[in-house]
Amino acid sequence: MNNIQAQLQHRHRKVLKVKNRDIRDNSSSNFDYNLQNLLPQKITQNGIKNQNIQMNQNIFKNLDTERNSGVMQYQQMRNVNWDRMSTFKQNNKAQEFMFNNQFHQIGDQFQLSNLLRFQPSLQNTQQNTLPKIKNNLYTDNQSTIKFPDQLQPQMQMLTPQMRMNYKYIQKIPKCDDDEQLIQKQSARLQNKKKYDLQSSIAFEINSLRTSCKVSNYKSEYIPAMISVKTKENQTEMNERTIGIDLICLIDKSASMMGENINMVKISLLLLLDFLGEQDRLQIITFNEHAQRLTPLKCLTEKNKLYFQAVISQISAEGLTKISSATYIAFKQLEEKVYRNNVTSVFLLSDGQDGDALFEISDQIRHVKEVFTISTFGFGDDHDAQMMTSISNLKNGNFYYVKDITLLDEFFAHALGGIVSVIAEQIQISLSLTFSKPLQDLQISKTYGNVWKQRGNVYEINIPQLASGTRKDFVFEIQIPQIYSKIQDQERVVKVLEARLRLKDPQSGEIIQKSAALNLTLFNQEENVSVQEENIDVYSQYMRVKGTEAIDDAKRACEQNNFEDAQKLLDDMMVQLSKKNNKVVQRCAGIIQDLNQAKQATQSTSYNSYGSKQLCQIVVNNNTQGGMNSVFSLDGQQQQQLNPSQYSNLTQQTMLKLVQTKKAKY
């Protein structure tokens, strides 16, 4: 016993050893105490056999209060690993515990290892991931806490304050209690013509020029792109039959007090107005721990009253642990009984969590459900780079909300993109044909982070596609040097083939399309007229090149090289200004973004709001989604009365409704 205490004191930690695991508490009267995984086995480790171990509040001094929560840690004597999980709340019924965090020893420091395992039941002894344990903690008829018999002597030694703290223990219930779906049917809807997905989607592959002169001394580079374009869905909101499952993760940490949390409540109530009985909503709040406020419930008129009551009770306190909320959300997605047509997650936070991205990335690997994540960052203190990276995990959008009064408008825009989804599981492949004389043609560069190369095939996967939108995936092709003369039968060459595969979320029908890119070749000495460039390809090429310049400028600002950042943006603006008015009009979106970026990269602006605005522009321009914030010269975020460049008809309509309603007050 003395040896164990000596080792723990050496690390400034005093704990009760229970089956090679620790129980920790803080003696502060307001400190949450965690009890979990107390296995009904005798304590035999290192010769300790059912001893009455003297415990008092002094035993719990000098503990790590990194997140101001009672963190359960488990130590193994030979290989020190620290397991961590969220606090569980006692609800007078059998408990179910899930464990998933670990600590690693780094020198003399113990740090959170960011390993949040989504499936703890898959035990791995090297990672010390624990299985799910049921019914180790239960209540009697008098609602007092009872423990396994083998642990009763030790538990009775706890101080009254520590026993009182057990009431904070939260359970994570099994998430299979989602409400059965309601199919929206009416005579009017049955007679209405269905949105024809096959004829409403255009799939193309184009290049800036369709002809080129080959050279025997240099290669030529030509921009090209794959495009997926969808027609607008003219269905009215109240006639929509496709249902959505929406899970909202709401930061309720102490920094959200006041206007922030009130505006969040208003925005959540806004969702109730736009969603119908075929849709389901779930609300999860989080600070240092997450709480599942509701299951997935259909938004009937009765349930809307229920959600109004739940939303009104949300209050702010505590710290920030984002992955505790995503853990429950992803668990819900995996365990739900009924699957709706479309699924999405909204994450709202105003804080920073350095572990979140790694933990959520690890969690998300185990989720098979098709869904998107849209993130909303509030105020000046949130980590915009982290929030954009989280949205990138599932091809979502990032909304920067500096002015909290605009949150409901951003909410409406994001929701409009979800309710107008007409296809899911979009898969695109691009392959080289190796046709002579261009058998050595290569794809020299791709733009954006969605491309994955597998040998000579390039693949793109996105979870959802909305009506009235377009997705353009830009790349460059390298025409190799050709030393032989081009013969007439070799002039027209098919150089690339593209294939599209997607799923109708309502019928489950699989739709496939294909497209090809042909180039016409000429010899260097041949006299041919100059071909006009494809304006559509050029405007999208400028979008990705301009976004690349903005990203480079952001990196320069991170190194305090503000002058270099400004020069990068100026050079891009000069390149655009050399084109004719027709081209400039088609590039209006990226020109506005470059002007906003130039303002954001000034030193005073960058430190105030610019860094977050630049993050937003880059991620939304790459995904062609979301709504880029616009700031005035004095740094005030502006209400956007004109449609943003990536808004479809549904998003514009919903945004206008919110703005009109606000204007009345």
Side-chain angles (χ1 to χ4, degrees), residues 240-256:
R240 180 173 52 88
T241 57
I242 290 182
I244 68 170
D245 281 351
L246 178 61
I247 301 178
C248 292
L249 313 181
I250 309 300
D251 186 344
K252 65 165 190 174
S253 59
S255 58
M256 290 288 292

Side-chain angles (χ1 to χ4, degrees), residues 352-572:
Q352 301 187 21
D353 183 353
D355 305 320
L357 179 60
F358 194 97
E359 293 171 348
I360 295 171
S361 299
D362 190 67
Q363 292 172 350
I364 216 166
R365 293 187 300 105
H366 305 283
V367 185
K368 298 178 182 178
E369 178 79 4
V370 178
F371 67 103
T372 56
I373 300 178
S374 291
T375 57
F376 301 78
F378 303 158
D380 297 327
D381 296 329
H382 73 275
D383 187 343
Q385 188 61 58
M386 175 197 70
M387 297 293 273
T388 56
S389 298
I390 292 174
S391 67
N392 277 335
L393 293 175
K394 281 295 179 179
N395 199 246
N397 306 122
F398 168 61
Y399 292 85
Y400 173 30
V401 193
K402 179 175 174 63
D403 183 350
I404 192 65
T405 63
L406 298 176
L407 175 60
D408 53 351
E409 298 181 28
F410 292 132
F411 240 53
H413 188 274
L415 184 61
I418 302 303
V419 300
S420 56
V421 166
I422 45 85
E424 65 175 7
Q425 298 182 40
I426 295 88
Q427 300 174 355
I428 299 171
S429 64
L430 177 66
S431 56
L432 302 167
T433 62
F434 303 105
S435 301
K436 292 184 178 181
L438 295 181
Q439 65 271 20
D440 295 326
L441 180 139
Q442 297 179 357
I443 295 176
S444 57
K445 184 174 182 178
T446 58
Y447 291 87
N449 58 3
V450 295
W451 296 86
K452 296 189 183 307
Q453 184 178 1
R454 300 181 186 276
N456 294 314
V457 178
Y458 292 79
E459 297 178 348
I460 298 169
N461 292 277
I462 56 177
Q464 296 166 355
L465 186 64
S467 62
T469 61
R470 62 183 296 167
K471 300 294 181 183
D472 301 287
F473 307 99
V474 182
F475 57 98
E476 293 178 5
I477 54 178
Q478 179 184 357
I479 308 298
Q481 303 173 26
I482 297 180
Y483 300 97
S484 60
K485 187 175 182 179
I486 300 298
Q487 304 299 318
D488 288 343
Q489 67 271 18
E490 298 176 323
R491 288 195 184 280
V492 180
V493 183
K494 182 168 73 171
V495 295
L496 293 170
E497 290 181 336
R499 298 185 181 279
L500 169 69
R501 185 182 188 275
L502 52 82
K503 180 180 178 181
D504 187 324
Q506 196 163 19
S507 66
E509 178 187 2
I510 301 297
I511 294 175
Q512 300 187 63
K513 291 178 177 285
S514 61
L517 177 64
N518 296 327
L519 290 179
T520 303
L521 306 180
F522 295 97
N523 294 304
Q524 192 69 32
E525 66 275 8
E526 291 185 271
N527 187 17
V528 294
S529 58
V530 177
Q531 183 187 12
E532 186 176 350
E533 294 179 341
N534 186 316
I535 296 179
D536 197 28
V537 174
Y538 184 82
S539 64
Q540 295 303 322
Y541 185 59
M542 286 296 100
R543 170 181 61 85
V544 297
K545 293 295 289 185
T547 302
E548 188 177 64
I550 293 171
D551 199 21
D552 290 340
K554 179 172 73 71
R555 292 193 183 96
C557 289
E558 290 170 356
Q559 303 298 321
N560 293 323
N561 297 324
F562 298 105
E563 291 183 2
D564 292 346
Q566 295 271 307
K567 186 177 185 307
L568 286 168
L569 300 172
D570 285 337
D571 291 344
M572 195 70 217

Side-chain angles (χ1 to χ4, degrees), residues 220-358:
E220 183 176 358
Y221 298 85
I222 301 177
M225 70 180 186
I226 299 173
S227 298
V228 183
K229 304 173 185 177
T230 62
K231 293 181 180 180
E232 290 284 4
N233 189 351
Q234 301 297 329
T235 303
E236 298 291 337
M237 281 291 296
N238 57 0
E239 297 176 352
R240 180 173 52 88
T241 57
I242 290 182
I244 68 170
D245 281 351
L246 178 61
I247 301 178
C248 292
L249 313 181
I250 309 300
D251 186 344
K252 65 165 190 174
S253 59
S255 58
M256 290 288 292
M257 287 182 180
E259 186 180 16
N260 284 6
I261 199 67
N262 289 333
M263 198 64 207
V264 168
K265 292 181 182 181
I266 292 173
S267 300
L268 289 173
L269 293 174
L270 174 71
L271 295 178
L272 306 182
D273 294 335
F274 285 122
L275 297 177
E277 61 183 12
Q278 75 275 28
D279 306 312
R280 299 188 300 179
L281 177 65
Q282 180 177 48
I283 298 176
I284 298 171
T285 57
F286 66 93
N287 41 34
E288 63 266 36
H289 310 300
Q291 185 178 6
R292 180 178 178 262
L293 296 187
T294 72
L296 269 174
K297 295 182 73 70
C298 295
L299 286 169
T300 61
E301 292 303 317
K302 179 180 178 181
N303 283 347
K304 286 184 179 181
L305 296 176
Y306 160 78
F307 276 105
Q308 289 174 8
V310 170
I311 292 169
S312 67
Q313 297 301 313
I314 298 176
S315 59
E317 61 179 348
L319 303 177
T320 304
K321 182 67 176 173
I322 296 175
S323 60
S324 64
T326 54
Y327 173 82
I328 299 177
F330 298 159
K331 189 171 186 283
Q332 176 70 71
L333 295 182
E334 284 296 280
E335 295 181 358
K336 66 180 181 179
V337 178
Y338 306 100
R339 187 184 185 279
N340 222 331
N341 304 124
V342 178
T343 302
S344 188
V345 175
F346 284 2
L347 168 62
L348 296 84
S349 178
D350 74 335
Q352 301 187 21
D353 183 353
D355 305 320
L357 179 60
F358 194 97

